[in-house]
Amino acid sequence: MAKYILKRVLFGIFSIVVVVGIVMIMIYSILDRNLIFAQDTNYSKTSNNRRTTYSMEQWEKYGYLDYVTYSDYLTALRNDGEIDEDTRATAVKLGYTAESDSDLTAQYTALFTEYYESQGYTVVRLDAVMAGKRLADGGTAALYAYKDIPVTTRLLEYFLNMFHVDNIHYVEENYPDADIGEIGLTFTLYDPVYGGEKFSPAIMGNGTEYKYLLYFTDSFPYIHQNLFTINLGLSYTVNRGEEITITMTKSQGSYVYSTVLYPTGLVEESANDLHSARYSYQSVTGESSLALYTDRFTDDYSNVQTVKSGLSRMGYSFIIGIIATILAYALGLPLGVLMARRKEKFADKLGTFYIVFISAVPSLAYIFMFKSIGGSILGRTYTTFTTEVIDWRYYVLPVVSLMLPSVASLMKWLRRYMIDQMNSDYVKFARSGGLSESEIFSKHILKNAVIPIVHGIPGSILGAMTGAFITERIYTVPGVGGLLITAIQKYDNGVIVGVTVFYAALSVVSIIMGDVLMSMVDPRISFTEKAR
């Protein structure tokens, strides 16, 4: 069994890589990359060379290509000590006999062109080159090189950077100019967030990305960690610059204020969660972010999340999905049994009508119908989901809309499996042995018919976390399903790829768990023996 699971896991990982690769090919190679500017006001305000430059910068940020300007090239040479600020000193150092800045610039642009073309880049020189610029200031800034990133390279880098383990060298590796002080880990039995008076063990870091690597709180799951994180990429438009895992897991709704004790000793009513503190450094200006928060923080661990009253996107999707799943099995299985036992009778015909109705009517149509009927019963307010008010009535219509198709599916397949079993030889033998119909159905037919149904239970449970595209969209549920739709509409490539990985991973896990559960229900099923 263990060998089988290992093989399925390895094949599942391969499947995830293939699926993500196909999605990346569709996004970065097939679709028009200019679509990312559809809602970009900055793009519409530019023209000519400025628009070209802006397009290249955005395409590089979105992961389409590698973009290098002549100015970047000079900066790299200056940092390596190959050129000086003074043009004449540079010429002497390099052994050139350039009589003017323009001569030296021409020599360097030739070197730039030769080098990047040899690396497979396309070198472009725009018209109306910026004039009056010294070599050291980046003259001829309209000269640049670009190269599309191969899908294999993009795919490899994505998965290599997916899993991150925090360590004390994070700051010095990513911000070499930052003054972090003495790096290391600290273990405390009394968490400073609680004033150092409450027994609450925590592991804190200095030089790490997160201040708190392990800590305890009074909220589920009580033990929390920031040591190991999953990086699915960054959002470009949905939540600009935010990690996709944070977008899916952070709370939503209105702020929840509590008394917060900051490291400086300041006490105030705030929604800030100090346990989420991350290192923040202005790498562009080289300035510490601490200057903005000197009244609250004593170091650069000042980037914190806020506590809100609602659930996360994943939380809303899971709550609605798991309730719908439980109700679907609670109703679908008994009704499927009833249809099989009352074959060709009124109960069976009524159930068949329901199955045909749900299957024939487009989901969009009956969801709107349920929304209209539900609005008349519950009130129009509860047809549109909100994160500001917690009320069970907001969950009713999304749950019902998700549950009814699942009920029909379970009824249909369980009825079919049971009728197939009813015609088996062992059923005829049981009848000849004097067993009642009730005993035959409960001890033999149902037990065998439910085995294929069991395989889908893990998928139904894990699938609850993925959300429902149409349902969440119609009822404005702020879940994961709606996130993907929003990302597609806004051409947020990072979110599309990240959510695809999330969906694919859950699918692989659900299939493996389904196989394991099915073998547990029916010992006759073995994944270790070869078929004869």
Side-chain angles (χ1 to χ4, degrees):
M1 186 65 176
K3 183 178 180 180
Y4 169 78
I5 293 177
L6 179 61
K7 289 174 61 178
R8 291 305 297 264
V9 169
L10 294 177
F11 182 76
I13 294 174
F14 173 76
S15 301
I16 293 174
V17 173
V18 171
V19 169
V20 175
I22 293 173
V23 171
M24 285 185 172
I25 291 174
M26 294 174 61
I27 292 175
Y28 296 104
S29 301
I30 298 178
L31 293 179
D32 184 2
R33 62 183 62 180
N34 287 306
L35 291 173
I36 66 173
F37 303 120
Q39 302 178 19
D40 191 339
T41 56
N42 292 328
Y43 179 80
S44 60
K45 293 178 181 178
T46 60
S47 60
N48 301 328
N49 289 349
R50 290 186 179 274
R51 172 170 291 186
T52 301
T53 302
Y54 180 77
S55 298
M56 286 293 172
E57 293 172 350
Q58 294 303 109
W59 285 332
E60 181 182 40
K61 186 179 76 171
Y62 276 63
Y64 285 97
L65 46 79
D66 184 27
Y67 168 63
V68 183
T69 66
Y70 179 66
S71 178
D72 294 334
Y73 174 69
L74 293 180
T75 300
L77 293 180
R78 186 164 55 244
N79 292 337
D80 292 339
E82 294 188 23
I83 63 174
D84 297 327
E85 292 289 339
D86 181 68
T87 305
R88 302 266 60 81
T90 297
V92 172
K93 179 184 294 186
L94 297 174
Y96 292 147
T97 57
E99 298 180 357
S100 65
D101 286 0
S102 60
D103 291 339
L104 189 57
T105 297
Q107 293 173 346
Y108 260 93
T109 55
L111 289 174
F112 174 87
T113 302
E114 180 182 358
Y115 173 76
Y116 280 102
E117 284 184 346
S118 66
Q119 299 297 316
Y121 286 74
T122 299
V123 178
V124 177
R125 182 193 298 272
L126 299 177
D127 296 331
V129 175
M130 296 175 63
K133 300 280 285 184
R134 297 185 304 116
L135 170 66
D137 293 332
T140 62
L143 179 67
Y144 64 87
Y146 72 92
K147 180 174 67 174
D148 288 346
I149 299 176
V151 173
T152 52
T153 301
R154 184 184 292 111
L155 196 62
L156 180 63
E157 291 180 352
Y158 184 84
F159 282 100
L160 287 178
N161 297 321
M162 179 175 292
F163 302 103
H164 172 65
V165 179
D166 208 350
N167 62 88
I168 59 175
H169 302 292
Y170 171 82
V171 175
E172 64 181 5
E173 291 175 355
N174 292 275
Y175 309 102
D177 298 330
D179 183 12
I180 190 63
E182 184 177 356
I183 63 175
L185 300 178
T186 302
F187 174 75
T188 178
L189 295 176
Y190 299 91
D191 194 337
V193 169
Y194 302 118
E197 299 178 354
K198 177 182 177 181
F199 179 77
S200 182
I203 298 179
M204 306 166 62
N206 192 47
T208 53
E209 180 180 6
Y210 286 88
K211 185 70 173 179
Y212 282 84
L213 302 180
L214 181 69
Y215 60 95
F216 293 78
T217 66
D218 296 329
S219 59
F220 183 82
Y222 309 112
I223 302 178
H224 306 266
Q225 64 87 30
N226 292 315
L227 178 62
F228 177 81
T229 54
I230 299 177
N231 177 25
L232 296 178
L234 294 177
S235 170
Y236 302 116
T237 54
V238 176
N239 289 310
R240 189 178 298 274
E242 185 176 76
E243 294 177 7
I244 298 167
T245 49
I246 294 178
T247 296
M248 293 195 296
T249 58
K250 71 176 182 180
S251 59
Q252 305 173 91
S254 56
Y255 292 110
V256 176
Y257 292 92
S258 61
T259 303
V260 176
L261 172 63
Y262 288 94
T264 58
L266 174 68
V267 178
E268 70 174 5
E269 294 297 311
S270 172
N272 287 335
D273 178 14
L274 299 188
H275 283 129
S276 66
R278 299 175 68 175
Y279 190 80
S280 178
Y281 186 78
Q282 301 296 326
S283 58
V284 176
T285 61
E287 297 177 356
S288 169
S289 63
L290 181 61
L292 302 174
Y293 308 104
T294 53
D295 59 332
R296 291 176 172 81
F297 298 97
T298 57
D299 53 29
D300 288 313
Y301 289 94
S302 56
N303 181 10
V304 297
Q305 296 184 38
T306 54
V307 180
K308 296 186 178 180
S309 59
L311 300 175
S312 64
R313 289 182 177 271
M314 192 182 300
Y316 280 118
S317 292
F318 182 73
I319 291 297
I320 292 174
I322 198 65
I323 294 175
T325 298
I326 293 173
L327 293 177
Y329 277 91
L331 293 175
L333 296 183
L335 291 176
V337 173
L338 179 62
M339 290 177 64
R341 297 194 63 176
R342 299 289 188 270
K343 181 183 177 183
E344 302 299 336
K345 295 182 180 180
F346 177 75
D348 186 30
K349 293 179 180 179
L350 183 62
T352 302
F353 172 79
Y354 171 72
I355 294 172
V356 172
F357 172 79
I358 291 295
S359 302
V361 178
S363 58
L364 191 63
Y366 71 71
I367 290 177
F368 273 114
M369 182 180 68
F370 295 148
K371 182 177 181 179
S372 178
I373 296 174
S376 302
I377 299 173
L378 298 174
R380 305 297 298 178
T381 302
Y382 301 104
T383 61
T384 303
F385 207 90
T386 178
T387 59
E388 300 298 328
V389 180
I390 301 177
D391 192 314
W392 63 271
R393 285 171 288 189
Y394 286 105
Y395 291 87
V396 173
L397 294 178
V399 166
V400 170
S401 297
L402 283 178
M403 175 191 69
L404 295 180
S406 298
V407 169
S409 178
L410 289 170
M411 290 169 58
K412 178 181 68 175
W413 289 110
L414 185 58
R415 175 188 180 275
R416 174 184 172 181
Y417 295 144
M418 291 190 69
I419 291 177
D420 289 343
Q421 294 295 323
M422 288 168 61
N423 298 321
S424 301
D425 292 336
Y426 75 87
V427 174
K428 299 176 182 177
F429 180 78
R431 286 197 181 100
S432 65
L435 293 179
S436 64
E437 290 298 316
S438 297
E439 290 178 319
I440 293 174
F441 266 93
S442 60
K443 294 183 179 180
H444 297 282
I445 296 177
L446 180 60
K447 182 178 180 181
N448 289 308
V450 81
I451 292 174
I453 302 296
V454 167
H455 186 274
I457 293 177
S460 299
I461 296 174
L462 294 178
M465 290 189 288
T466 64
F469 303 145
I470 298 176
T471 303
E472 290 186 2
R473 192 68 174 174
I474 292 176
Y475 294 108
T476 65
V477 178
V480 179
L483 174 63
L484 181 59
I485 298 298
T486 303
I488 293 174
Q489 291 178 334
K490 294 186 175 182
Y491 305 103
D492 195 331
N493 300 340
V495 174
I496 295 173
V497 174
V499 175
T500 299
V501 173
F502 178 64
Y503 284 178
L506 288 182
S507 299
V508 170
V509 173
S510 64
I511 292 173
I512 296 174
M513 291 180 63
D515 290 343
V516 174
L517 184 59
M518 192 165 60
S519 66
M520 293 173 62
V521 172
D522 187 358
R524 296 172 300 176
I525 299 176
S526 175
F527 297 107
T528 59
E529 298 179 0
K530 294 183 179 181
R532 296 179 179 178

